[in-house]
């Protein structure tokens, strides 16, 4: 049983007063009762619990309670979580699932009200959340902010429904998260003027500097697919109070290896000020979002971690509300019962249903970029056999499919370069943001087999060589598993390895695949309704003669 009163000693990292000093912290009934300074020499350091300032829990393929069990091992005790993914599948019921599941464990989940469900009108999602639903969620005690406003063209063009959502947050004095990759100049100013206060999508330092100068907090992201940490970290020296750290999307195998603690370690190794670095994932998000996460001040919630040194950031112990939740690399949080939600109505496909008639000699092609969720638009000669456009493995030109999982429909078909697959197909129902079925492969038989495997399991990630298939089932919304984190990580790692053995050259094949239907990220993506130009914000034909 957890002691109601105890003390910890070490070098105390005080981000509020910006000092590090040796001392003792007394904890009583989950609160910091007293802090005393002494002159003793300690090797360990006591920090406030780490906060991931923007994450989609669903992308870990774990439910919130299971995510917490692993995150605390790395010193993360709180997350600012956008349940946008499950909301696209199951609407407000999905958001409530995340909240209620998160309540079952000692961890601080700060959820937002998803602002863009669906993200655009150019795709099919499992639900639609309008201004009325957003306003209702903002009234829930557990909802602290308006989640990322991805439809930035609608903000700039003053769309009436979007304005109602923004106004609902402003009236309730809730922060509004942004999502505007590459937005600059007068459009960026208009976006910020609408009340949007953060952006985690900057991918150049100049863009981040401009947005910080406009008063926007820049969330430096390092996830499993999108990695902007190296590019944006210099902003921490220039605008330390405007910076937060986040993961955005973290796959289970990466989460087991580390979380925000790895970013702290890297930044300190590179010579950045220790207090600036720690503040970016403790003080700054706490102040911006108005969190009740502890900051090692008397009267605060006793949320803190003990590390062996600031150089290695090896987490020895983690505490949430005075309860020890991790020790020496082991979680102390118990598993909880999961009652899943889902929506899945797709029908199976025969290989011939995935064929595409040749209507020209050149294709508009998606180019995937390793470590990025942005893509490039290419114009490439089509490989045509029997009047059908097919994959050209020798030139790394693969067929990509998106299928509406919520209603019976025909597949949307495109072509993609950059994956390097030499045989078989990979498929997933983790496909931001509407989470339809997405697959790519070298032949229609493998594609159909992988897609049908997902349909059979009502969600997951899969791989097929046309004869045999392997799958990691994700029955919670087609996004999250029922198993513990280590089992999920092992299953994901096995599929990741197999995809690479099939020739895929990307560092995170499934994570990258999951973003190829994300229309709000330029330059070109594929939705269940067709090929989409994210720069022009309009559909374009698959075949291009110009």
């Amino acid at each position: 049983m957890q002691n109601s009163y105890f003390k910890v000693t070490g070098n105390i990292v005080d981000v509020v007063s910006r000092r590090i000093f040796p001392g003792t912290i007394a904890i009583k009934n989950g609160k910091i009762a007293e802090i005393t300074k002494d002159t003793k020499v300690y090797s360990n350091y006591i920090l406030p619990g780490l906060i991931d300032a923007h994450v989609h829990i669903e992308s870990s393929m774990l439910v919130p309670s299971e995510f917490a069990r692993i995150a605390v091992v790395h010193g993360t005790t709180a997350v600012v979580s956008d349940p946008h993914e499950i909301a696209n599948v199951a609407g407000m019921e999905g958001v409530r699932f995340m909240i209620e599941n998160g309540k079952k464990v000692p961890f601080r989940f700060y959820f937002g009200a998803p602002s863009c469900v669906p993200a655009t009108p150019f795709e099919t999602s499992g639900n639609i959340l309008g201004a009325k639903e957003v306003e209702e969620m903002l009234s829930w005690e557990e909802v602290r902010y308006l989640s990322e406003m991805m439809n930035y063209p609608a903000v700039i063009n003053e769309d009436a429904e979007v304005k109602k959502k923004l106004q609902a947050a402003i009236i309730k004095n809730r922060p509004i998260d942004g999502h505007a990759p590459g937005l600059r100049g007068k459009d960026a100013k208009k976006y910020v003027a609408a009340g949007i206060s953060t952006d985690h999508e900057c991918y150049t330092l100049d863009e981040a500097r401009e947005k910080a100068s406009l008063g926007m907090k820049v969330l430096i992201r390092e996830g499993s697919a999108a990695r902007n940490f190296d590019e944006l970290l210099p902003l921490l020296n220039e605008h330390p109070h405007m910076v937060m750290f986040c993961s955005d999307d973290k796959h289970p195998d990466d989460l087991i290896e580390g979380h925000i603690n790895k970013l702290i370690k890297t930044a300190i190794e590179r010579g950045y000020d220790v207090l600036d670095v720690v503040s970016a994932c403790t003080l700054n998000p706490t102040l911006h979002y108005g969190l009740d996460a502890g900051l090692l001040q008397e009267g605060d919630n006793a949320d803190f971690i003990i590390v062996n040194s600031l150089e290695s950031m090896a987490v020895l112990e983690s505490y949430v509300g005075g309860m020890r939740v991790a020790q020496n690399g082991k979680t102390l949080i118990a598993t909880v019962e999961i009652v899943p939600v889902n929506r899945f109505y797709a029908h199976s496909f025969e290989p011939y249903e995935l064929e595409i008639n040749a209507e020209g000699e050149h294709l508009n092609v998606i180019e995937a970029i390793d470590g990025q969720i942005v893509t490039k638009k290419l114009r490439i000669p089509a490989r045509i056999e029997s009047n059908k456009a097919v994959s050209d493995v020798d030139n790394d030109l693969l067929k990509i499919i998106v299928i509406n999982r919520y209603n019976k429909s025909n597949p949307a078909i495109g072509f993609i370069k950059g994956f390097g697959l030499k045989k078989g197909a990979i498929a997933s129902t983790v496909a931001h943001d509407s989470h339809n079925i997405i697959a790519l492969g070298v032949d229609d038989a493998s594609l159909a087999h992988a897609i049908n495997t997902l349909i059979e399991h009502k969600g997951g990630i899969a791989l097929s060589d046309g004869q045999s298939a392997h799958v990691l089932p994700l029955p919670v919304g087609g996004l999250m598993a029922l198993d513990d984190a280590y089992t999920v990580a092992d299953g994901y790692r096995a599929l990741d390895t197999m995809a690479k053995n099939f020739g895929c050259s990307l560092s995170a094949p499934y994570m990258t695949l999951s973003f190829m239907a994300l229309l709000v990220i330029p330059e070109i993506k594929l939705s269940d309704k067709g090929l989409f130009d994210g720069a022009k914000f309009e559909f374009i034909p698959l075949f291009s003669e110009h």
Side-chain angles (χ1 to χ4, degrees), residues 123-358:
E123 57 196 307
T124 305
S125 68
N127 220 286
I128 297 174
L129 298 180
K132 180 181 178 181
E133 289 79 12
V134 166
E135 186 174 4
E136 180 180 339
M137 287 185 288
L138 286 169
S139 70
W140 296 352
E141 180 183 356
E142 302 91 349
V143 173
R144 300 299 190 95
Y145 68 105
L146 183 64
S147 296
E148 55 184 306
M149 179 51 71
M150 291 180 285
N151 194 354
Y152 59 85
V155 176
I156 295 164
N157 295 323
E158 301 184 23
D159 176 85
E161 184 75 2
V162 166
K163 286 180 72 173
K164 288 179 183 178
K165 294 177 181 179
L166 296 173
Q167 193 62 29
I170 291 169
I171 289 172
K172 294 182 181 296
N173 198 29
R174 303 293 176 85
I176 303 172
D177 269 4
H179 172 120
L183 196 67
R184 308 286 296 272
K186 65 179 182 179
D187 285 344
K189 290 179 181 179
K190 192 168 186 179
Y191 189 70
V192 174
I196 297 165
S197 58
T198 73
D199 196 2
H200 59 277
E201 293 290 350
C202 298
Y203 51 88
T204 68
L205 184 56
D206 284 345
E207 178 189 351
R209 284 169 172 156
E210 180 179 343
K211 287 177 175 173
S213 72
L214 294 173
M216 183 174 270
K217 303 291 174 62
V218 174
L219 278 60
I220 299 180
R221 169 178 60 188
E222 189 76 356
S224 293
R227 302 177 184 272
N228 310 115
F229 189 76
D230 291 342
E231 173 70 22
L232 302 184
L233 190 57
L235 192 71
L236 186 64
N237 274 343
E238 301 167 17
H239 300 282
H241 301 298
M242 303 296 289
V243 170
M244 297 179 240
F245 290 167
C246 76
S247 65
D248 194 7
D249 293 294
K250 198 80 168 169
H251 265 191
D253 57 332
D254 283 344
L255 182 62
I256 282 177
E257 296 300 319
H259 195 200
I260 300 299
N261 60 320
K262 293 177 69 175
L263 304 186
I264 293 177
K265 180 178 183 293
T266 300
I268 291 174
E269 285 176 346
R270 295 180 184 176
Y272 286 82
D273 182 272
V274 168
L275 290 166
D276 287 344
V277 172
V278 177
S279 293
C281 46
T282 56
L283 177 66
N284 295 355
T286 297
L287 294 179
H288 180 76
Y289 291 102
L291 311 181
D292 58 358
L295 293 172
L296 291 184
Q297 305 298 298
E298 291 184 357
D300 276 3
N301 285 320
D303 307 333
F304 62 92
I305 64 174
I306 302 173
V307 301
N308 65 337
S309 72
L310 295 174
E311 289 72 29
S312 66
M313 278 299 296
V315 179
L316 305 177
E317 294 180 294
S318 299
Y319 291 81
V320 176
M323 178 181 293
R324 187 164 58 196
V325 290
Q327 185 176 31
N328 297 326
K330 302 292 184 182
T331 186
L332 303 179
I333 299 177
T335 57
V336 301
E337 183 181 0
I338 303 167
V339 180
V341 296
N342 202 352
R343 188 177 179 200
F344 211 105
Y345 303 118
H347 69 286
S348 61
F349 285 82
E350 295 294 332
Y352 73 85
E353 295 180 87
L354 306 180
E355 295 176 349
I356 183 77
N357 290 328

Side-chain angles (χ1 to χ4, degrees), residues 1-13:
M1 187 170 179
Q2 191 70 32
N3 292 329
S4 61
Y5 181 85
F6 64 100
K7 294 180 179 180
V8 293
T9 58
N11 298 299
I12 299 169
V13 180

